Amino acid sequence: TLLKIAMGVAQADGGTVEWGYEAQYGYFSQDHEALEAAEGETVLSWLWRYAADKHEGFVRGKLAQVLFVRDDVDKRVRSLSGGESTRMVLAQLGLVQPNVLVLDEPTNHLDFEGIEALAAGLDDYPGTLIFVSHNRWFVEQLATRILEIRPDGLADYRGSYREYLAHCGDDHLDAEMAAANARRERQLHKRA
């Protein structure tokens, strides 16, 4: 929800969002909202919208980079799997070349090889990366700053996810551990 508010997709209950003067952002929504207006379009025609001044070979080359080759470019966007949709949106962001990437659960629908390739590509990305992910491995590969939203405020930790875990001793991406901690907190509040 926080990313949707930052991107202007959802309304905030309070406060404002202000981007820096030179910020040119690209947004990866976990719902692939960028593809919603592609009714009836092919993979090739949809991506070509973002490179209208380029020739077909250029657009096909960009699609090949995200594993759409030969007849794959003629698939209808509405028939794509979750992983294919993810790759399409990433290809679009690669064409637009924003200096801030905002990614909401980008590893959903990707197999491990896809997640590895995404992490490698993002590691080489020269701009600012803001992302939300429940994938521990992915977070550990890329995060250099952790923002934790707590009921009592924001915790801002500068360092890797592994360093953050050592600092706070709590793996928030471990669902079982998080549930056990929540039960323990409720029990402590009941006793108080």
Side-chain angles (χ1 to χ4, degrees), residues 9-121:
V9 176
Q11 203 63 20
D13 293 338
T16 60
V17 174
E18 188 175 325
W19 288 93
Y21 174 71
E22 294 291 327
Q24 300 165 356
Y25 52 82
Y27 178 47
F28 178 94
S29 165
Q30 67 177 309
D31 302 323
H32 302 142
E33 293 162 349
L35 297 176
E36 288 178 0
E39 188 65 33
E41 287 193 72
T42 66
V43 167
L44 179 63
S45 67
W46 182 82
L47 191 63
W48 211 338
R49 281 200 264 155
Y50 299 94
D53 61 330
K54 303 290 184 185
H55 56 83
E56 182 176 342
F58 174 84
V59 179
R60 283 179 175 270
K62 291 297 179 185
L63 287 168
Q65 289 175 347
V66 292
L67 307 179
F68 285 99
V69 294
R70 296 189 185 98
D71 294 341
D72 292 340
V73 302
D74 296 323
K75 286 183 178 181
R76 296 281 175 202
V77 171
R78 72 174 175 267
S79 70
L80 298 177
S81 70
E84 289 171 324
S85 296
T86 295
R87 295 188 340 248
M88 281 291 298
V89 175
L90 292 171
Q92 181 261 343
L93 289 172
L95 282 175
V96 176
Q97 297 183 339
N99 60 15
V100 178
L101 273 179
V102 180
L103 308 174
D104 190 0
E105 294 289 351
T107 62
N108 288 357
H109 309 293
L110 293 178
D111 58 16
F112 189 71
E113 290 80 13
I115 294 169
E116 283 182 318
L118 177 60

Side-chain angles (χ1 to χ4, degrees), residues 129 131 138-146 159-161 163:
L129 181 61
F131 69 95
F138 184 77
V139 173
E140 179 56 36
Q141 299 306 303
L142 297 170
T144 58
R145 183 175 181 186
I146 310 293
S160 71
Y161 188 64
E163 293 166 337

